[in-house]
Amino acid sequence: MEIIIAGHAGFCFGVKRAISTAYETVDKAGGEVGTIGPLIHNPQVVSRLESVGVRPIENIRDFHGEALIIRSHGVSQSMVKTAEDAGIRLVDATCPFVKKAQEYARRLKEEGYTVVIVGDKNHPEVQGILSYAGESALVAAIPQDLDVLNKVRKIGIIAQTTTTFEKFEQVVKQCLHQANEIKIYNTICDETHVRQQEAQGIARRVDVMLVAGGRNSGNTTRLAELCRLTGTRTFHIETRDEIDPAWFHGAGKVGITAGASTPEWIIEEMIERLNQISGESV
Ligand code: F3S
């Protein structure tokens, strides 16, 4: 069995930075270190961090530890204010690309644009960006989400960093019908775009595609969706234990990619498992 591994599988720049910030903070802190929600969307990494004393917290007001880390996909302005008002020391691990999207949202609001964020309204990154975008802002995952918007004078558009270019393009096209003036910031992260293109390219060449990453990870879920669109059988898994040998009957080539918050050791374990299944070194 031949295995093709994506060159851009695993941790992105922003996730690496957030994890090293967490380890540095806990090394220096004399007490408990918390993260506002899980630091990244990968349960295996989050549990390793917990074992060294970095724990996700639900309620900022209940935190009495040494430092609180802001996760890679950012938080809302109100969460920052709550922490500051409570005298909590914040360590900001927001990815600089997410910060840029927050800054564009703030700028568009100040310039009088109705801000449209293309992405998943339930994702914490989007909720964070939304808090900078003003009350008239809305989130659109598909063009139909703009139906609630009457014709306005100016629309400013930004993207969740991990959304697909196609979705962004579709919503932008719809906005052209709903405003006289449009300003667009393409805030899709390059890492995301390259990873998605590469994953689809591999999926087209293989019989089975494995996409590794947290089920709560939006970018991993989108990678799996894109691979499925190629028509190749695709499985989104978190760990090697989920791999079922039956998936590979008759398969000559298997592709592997992984979300931006998937550590290298999970990918290595998957390769080991595939080795066992195929009974030969791959
Ligand atoms: Fe940042 Fe892009 Fe990763 S926005 S967190 S480098 S996917």
Side-chain angles (χ1 to χ4, degrees):
M1 190 156 67
E2 185 184 343
I3 298 185
I4 302 174
I5 304 160
H8 290 84
F11 284 169
C12 64
F13 151 79
V15 165
K16 276 186 202 151
R17 183 174 169 275
I19 291 173
S20 55
T21 302
Y23 279 109
E24 270 165 36
T25 307
V26 77
D27 273 354
K28 288 183 196 151
E32 190 191 341
V33 172
T35 61
I36 306 178
L39 185 70
I40 61 168
H41 282 149
N42 184 282
Q44 291 73 31
V45 173
V46 169
S47 90
R48 283 200 175 185
L49 284 167
E50 282 192 60
S51 71
V52 297
V54 182
R55 292 187 185 82
I57 59 144
E58 292 298 325
N59 193 336
I60 296 171
R61 288 193 183 87
D62 295 339
F63 182 72
H64 302 291
E66 203 55 38
L68 197 51
I69 301 171
I70 298 179
R71 58 199 168 191
S72 55
H73 39 268
V75 294
S76 66
Q77 291 195 95
S78 65
M79 283 183 176
V80 172
K81 182 161 183 335
T82 305
E84 286 173 352
D85 289 351
I88 294 169
R89 180 165 80 87
L90 284 175
V91 178
D92 193 356
T94 309
C95 174
F97 301 129
V98 175
K99 278 246 178 241
K100 205 183 262 180
Q102 293 173 345
E103 169 56 24
Y104 287 144
R106 190 189 56 75
R107 202 184 292 175
L108 287 168
K109 177 193 76 177
E110 284 173 5
E111 290 171 1
Y113 289 89
T114 299
V115 180
V116 171
I117 304 165
V118 183
D120 169 5
K121 66 177 188 304
N122 297 316
H123 194 283
E125 177 195 325
V126 172
Q127 288 164 358
I129 297 170
L130 195 56
S131 73
Y132 291 82
E135 290 195 349
S136 62
L138 65 102
V139 181
I142 52 173
Q144 290 73 12
D145 289 339
L146 294 170
D147 289 350
V148 292
L149 190 69
N150 293 322
K151 183 137 175 137
V152 291
R153 203 166 59 80
K154 306 192 324 177
I155 292 180
I157 312 168
I158 46 183
Q160 181 179 352
T161 54
T162 52
T163 203
T164 63
F165 186 78
E166 289 69 24
K167 282 187 185 169
F168 190 55
E169 196 176 36
Q170 285 164 7
V171 175
V172 167
K173 271 191 190 154
Q174 181 58 32
C175 286
L176 291 171
H177 297 285
Q178 298 195 234
N180 302 325
E181 185 186 326
I182 308 270
K183 192 167 192 175
I184 304 165
Y185 289 109
N186 179 0
T187 49
I188 298 174
C189 165
D190 276 351
E191 286 237 17
T192 305
H193 189 56
V194 170
R195 191 180 297 251
Q196 289 172 347
Q197 299 283 309
E198 188 191 34
Q200 279 199 307
I202 293 175
R204 286 192 191 96
R205 292 159 51 202
V206 298
D207 306 301
V208 178
M209 191 73 193
L210 300 180
V211 182
R215 288 192 215 294
N216 57 347
S217 158
N219 78 83
T220 313
T221 305
R222 265 183 294 284
L223 272 183
E225 280 168 13
L226 287 169
C227 291
R228 277 188 202 106
L229 283 178
T230 65
T232 297
R233 275 195 309 141
T234 300
F235 300 94
H236 176 174
I237 56 173
E238 283 191 356
T239 66
R240 56 174 277 161
D241 299 336
E242 295 166 48
I243 296 177
D244 180 348
W247 296 345
F248 309 101
H249 283 156
K253 286 185 185 175
V254 177
I256 297 182
T257 188
S261 45
T262 308
E264 205 159 298
W265 55 267
I266 285 193
I267 302 169
E268 282 164 7
E269 284 183 358
M270 283 169 57
I271 296 167
E272 262 174 42
R273 175 82 179 114
L274 290 176
N275 261 323
Q276 288 168 354
I277 291 169
S278 71
E280 61 192 60
S281 193
V282 283

